Amino acid sequence: MKKTIISLSLLLSLQVAVAQPLARVLPEEVGMDSRRLHYADEAILRAIDNKEIPGAVLAVVHKDKLAYLRAFGNKEVYPKTVPMDVNTVFDMASVSKSMSTAISVMQLVERGRLRLLDKVSLYIPAFKDDIRVVDLLTHTSGLPPYAPVDSLKAKYGAPNRDSLIAYIATGRRDFAPTTGFQYSCLNFITLQRIVETISGQNLRDYAKTNIFDVLGMTHTDYKPTGETLERVAPTEKQKNGSVLRGVVHDPLARVMNGGISGNAGVFSDANDLAILAAALLNGGAYNGKRILSPFGVMAMRTVPRAVDQFGRALGWDVRSDYASNTGDLLGKNTFGHTGYTGTSLVIDPDNEIAVILLTHRVHPKDAGEVVRLRSMVANAVAAAVNCPPLRVYFPHYYARVEQFRHEPPITPTDIVFLGNSLTEGGQWSNYFPKQSIVNRGISGDVAMGIYDRLEQILPYKPKKIFLQTGANDVAHDLSTDSIAGLITQVVDKIRAEAPDTKLVLQGSLPINESFGRYKALTNKTEVFPRLNAQLKAMAASRNIEFVNLFPLFTEPNTNELRKELTSDGLHVNSKGYAIWVKAIEKLVKE
């Protein structure tokens, strides 16, 4: 027996040791449209501007991957301002009911320790009525919504878990079991006592050992300590001027249950919740570690027939009046839960997606609002699923676009250098130190890639745009007519949406095929002068400044890039950029 215990301990340690975060991918890699996801960003930013929330973290899980993770606003606004980051830990409030208490109950069901139809009195003898475990999970027990914290504290002292359970067991019932629905924290405090009675562990230890540690949820716990506590976003300001930080906001959980409570008390972050969501989307398992069986997960998200009209599943909400966080577009089997502090977890098993929206609307005052925001975010995310964009690019493109979103906004005094790797590789701010330069080059970009990201530039009306592109379009075997037409679309969009921005169109540079590095450019040397001729004509027809860089870089009497200006036959070195800078210097500075 002793050897068995040691073996189980080693196995548990191994499970924790090999746990890993959910794999990060670009939305497009799992068939989502990142541009549509930005509508969710805009909704969150509006809520921040309207003072509904101080900040938020949004995570989207799709097909077992973390497809989106962004932080917004501030983690703290009192007593000082601290920006939000994606690793912030939040007071999950009532989401604790689902992610901890309900899963713990279902595990005990799976292990033959508990039946959903068991009467509560089997585990808490003071319950003399017919309330069953399933009634507690579905909020159809008839127990009151809450308990009078101040009077209980005055009568019994606090914390006092036994007195709280005694109060619930012998207190009033508002209706007979299964005849009505009433959301009640008392249901899950009762479930906590059942879990603790059966397991012999307090809920914190049970959930940590059987759920959080198994999945590798490294920053999820009741009463957080250490690094997890350092990451916690504060909640409400107290009368003495302090704020709650790492101490559960819910009064029953905090005062009467000492911070470990079936109704609230879990702290977690978006990365950990993404792992939990992935496990529930995958039949209860993640990274080879299982917390529930597929049947157990199915049962948890299914509304029992006896209370079908109320729309509550076993610890999760499917379609009750509290389920607005699921939005309007996700699948009919979507389930989730919300937390009073502003947290939300939504899981759509039909479309393999989870939406995790973490806010702390109660900071610094309990006055924020997130009900509409949750629904709008869910809708924006749903609209991005299985909706790939018309054009799909490469990972570096999306990584750079995301990087640009985190940079300071472009201003009307900025000069934007826009293009592909030739632009990205230029140290334009160093070349023109007295100018306000923004480098928006992306290696590998094509004309339509530039067109699709002009939304990050044109609304801000920069002073000037220096556009240079075409080489990658040539590599894709497009004709010069097609390439010139695509670049013309870019030019026309800039002129239409930022008419006061001075646009400088720079011609394509030559290449040198003798290096043999870029097979897609084989036999393309003569394409570039033809393309430049068309671009020059187009610029003249639109009265746009055109800089013909091509002859400045060629070997005498050829159309080849001079070897001393390149190391690979396509990109230019410092000598090449010096020529480029000299060619446009006057236009940049004027």
Side-chain angles (χ1 to χ4, degrees):
M1 180 65 182
K2 185 175 181 181
K3 289 184 178 179
T4 302
I5 295 173
I6 294 174
S7 298
L8 289 173
S9 299
L10 288 173
L11 177 60
L12 181 59
S13 299
L14 181 61
Q15 285 182 322
V16 176
V18 299
Q20 58 187 14
L22 207 62
R24 290 286 304 274
V25 296
L26 298 167
E28 280 72 16
E29 293 182 77
V30 287
M32 301 183 72
D33 186 347
S34 59
R35 289 178 176 81
R36 286 179 173 268
L37 285 172
H38 295 146
Y39 291 124
D41 298 355
E42 293 173 2
I44 294 170
L45 291 171
R46 283 195 303 270
I48 293 172
D49 289 341
N50 294 335
K51 308 298 183 184
E52 295 169 0
I53 55 173
V57 173
L58 171 63
V60 177
V61 176
H62 189 38
K63 297 181 178 178
D64 294 329
K65 302 292 191 298
L66 184 54
Y68 205 63
L69 180 63
R70 288 205 65 189
F72 309 84
N74 292 308
K75 171 181 178 179
E76 184 175 345
V77 296
Y78 172 88
K80 59 184 178 180
T81 299
V82 178
M84 185 68 75
D85 67 80
V86 296
N87 296 314
T88 298
V89 172
F90 289 80
D91 179 344
M92 296 304 298
S94 284
V95 180
S96 306
K97 293 180 172 72
S98 299
M99 65 184 292
S100 177
T101 312
I103 293 177
S104 298
V105 169
M106 185 54 64
Q107 286 184 337
L108 294 175
V109 170
E110 291 189 345
R111 296 169 187 179
R113 306 292 304 278
L114 171 69
R115 286 194 320 156
L116 294 177
L117 293 179
D118 282 347
K119 289 185 178 181
V120 175
S121 58
L122 182 62
Y123 307 100
I124 308 174
F127 273 74
K128 302 298 184 183
D129 45 24
D130 291 330
I131 296 176
R132 299 177 184 271
V133 171
V134 66
D135 305 329
L136 300 174
L137 287 165
T138 56
H139 294 283
T140 58
S141 68
L143 291 179
Y146 212 65
V149 177
D150 290 341
S151 61
L152 288 175
K153 180 181 178 181
K155 184 175 182 179
Y156 301 111
N160 197 323
R161 302 167 68 248
D162 291 340
S163 294
L164 176 58
I165 283 294
Y167 169 85
I168 296 171
T170 59
R172 81 168 197 271
R173 275 55 172 152
D174 292 335
F175 51 81
T178 75
T179 63
F181 164 76
Q182 180 168 259
Y183 184 84
S184 170
C185 286
L186 306 190
N187 287 321
F188 278 75
I189 293 173
T190 303
L191 287 168
Q192 172 192 359
R193 178 53 65 96
I194 293 173
V195 170
E196 293 176 342
T197 299
I198 295 173
S199 69
Q201 296 176 284
N202 67 39
L203 182 60
R204 178 190 191 183
D205 292 341
Y206 180 90
K208 182 173 174 57
T209 301
N210 292 275
I211 305 171
F212 309 146
D213 283 353
V214 173
L215 293 178
M217 298 169 65
T218 55
H219 295 289
T220 301
D221 198 3
Y222 294 85
K223 304 177 72 171
T225 59
E227 182 185 354
T228 300
L229 178 58
E230 293 174 2
R231 295 184 177 193
V232 170
T235 54
E236 193 170 0
K237 179 183 177 182
Q238 303 299 290
K239 291 180 180 180
N240 64 3
S242 66
V243 290
L244 295 176
R245 188 191 307 272
V247 177
V248 60
H249 181 269
D250 179 83
L252 265 180
R254 182 178 72 251
V255 178
M256 295 305 297
N257 256 350
I260 303 172
S261 192
N263 69 311
V266 174
F267 288 77
S268 189
D269 66 6
N271 288 288
D272 280 3
L273 289 164
I275 292 173
L276 177 63
L280 294 174
L281 285 168
N282 193 42
Y286 163 74
N287 192 33
K289 310 301 180 293
R290 182 170 294 281
I291 57 169
L292 289 171
S293 70
F295 278 14
V297 174
M298 178 69 76
M300 287 197 78
R301 62 181 180 84
T302 301
V303 179
R305 287 193 296 270
V307 291
D308 181 72
Q309 69 270 34
F310 303 123
R312 298 291 297 211
L314 305 180
W316 298 87
D317 198 352
V318 176
R319 46 184 166 78
S320 82
D321 291 342
Y322 291 81
S324 63
N325 62 318
T326 61
D328 309 302
L329 305 178
L330 291 171
K332 65 179 181 179
N333 294 311
T334 299
F335 61 103
H337 213 287
T338 61
Y340 182 84
T341 52
T343 54
S344 173
L345 172 59
V346 174
I347 301 173
D348 179 351
D350 298 332
N351 297 299
E352 299 180 89
I353 191 158
V355 184
I356 299 159
L357 178 62
L358 304 179
T359 75
H360 50 332
R361 66 162 196 87
V362 294
H363 176 68
K365 297 180 180 179
D366 186 355
E369 173 59 50
V370 292
V371 174
R372 289 187 69 250
L373 174 64
R374 289 165 173 160
S375 184
M376 290 186 290
V377 168
N379 288 342
V381 171
V385 180
N386 298 331
C387 189
L390 295 176
R391 293 175 287 271
V392 178
Y393 303 109
F394 42 93
H396 180 67
Y397 177 93
Y398 295 106
R400 283 283 282 174
V401 168
E402 184 65 16
Q403 176 185 333
F404 297 153
R405 294 188 186 281
H406 291 279
E407 292 178 357
I410 291 170
T411 72
T413 62
D414 286 336
I415 298 173
V416 177
F417 279 75
L418 181 60
N420 51 37
S421 58
L422 292 166
T423 298
E424 182 178 354
Q427 305 297 313
W428 306 107
S429 295
N430 294 336
Y431 305 150
F432 303 106
K434 294 184 179 180
Q435 310 298 321
S436 179
I437 304 293
V438 176
N439 188 335
R440 288 299 172 90
I442 296 182
S443 179
D445 206 359
V446 293
M448 281 296 94
I450 292 172
Y451 183 93
D452 286 340
R453 59 188 176 90
L454 287 174
E455 64 180 11
Q456 292 187 324
I457 299 171
L458 301 186
Y460 304 101
K461 307 295 188 292
K463 181 180 179 180
K464 300 176 184 177
I465 293 177
F466 283 76
L467 172 64
Q468 198 281 327
T469 192
N472 295 308
D473 295 276
V474 172
H476 292 168
D477 289 328
L478 299 179
S479 68
T480 53
D481 287 342
S482 296
I483 298 170
L486 295 174
I487 295 175
T488 299
Q489 290 185 49
V490 176
V491 167
D492 289 346
K493 185 175 179 68
I494 294 172
R495 295 294 300 279
E497 297 185 16
D500 295 328
T501 296
K502 180 177 177 61
L503 174 60
V504 178
L505 179 61
Q506 304 165 101
S508 293
L509 274 63
I511 62 171
N512 192 312
E513 296 183 44
S514 69
F515 286 78
R517 180 167 177 181
Y518 298 99
K519 302 302 182 183
L521 291 174
T522 301
N523 298 323
K524 301 292 175 60
T525 296
E526 300 304 322
V527 173
F528 290 92
R530 295 199 301 270
L531 174 59
N532 277 323
Q534 290 186 260
L535 294 179
K536 182 178 180 180
M538 179 268 287
S541 70
R542 286 163 170 73
N543 196 30
I544 295 171
E545 190 81 46
F546 179 76
V547 178
N548 190 7
L549 299 171
F550 190 86
L552 304 178
F553 289 83
T554 55
E555 297 280 2
N557 303 315
T558 75
N559 288 324
E560 293 183 346
L561 177 60
R562 286 154 52 187
K563 289 185 176 181
E564 72 271 17
L565 301 181
T566 183
S567 62
D568 61 6
L570 174 62
H571 301 98
V572 295
N573 55 27
S574 59
K575 292 180 180 179
Y577 280 113
I579 294 172
W580 193 337
V581 168
K582 186 175 181 180
I584 62 174
E585 186 173 17
K586 183 178 179 181
L587 292 171
V588 172
K589 294 180 178 179
E590 69 179 14

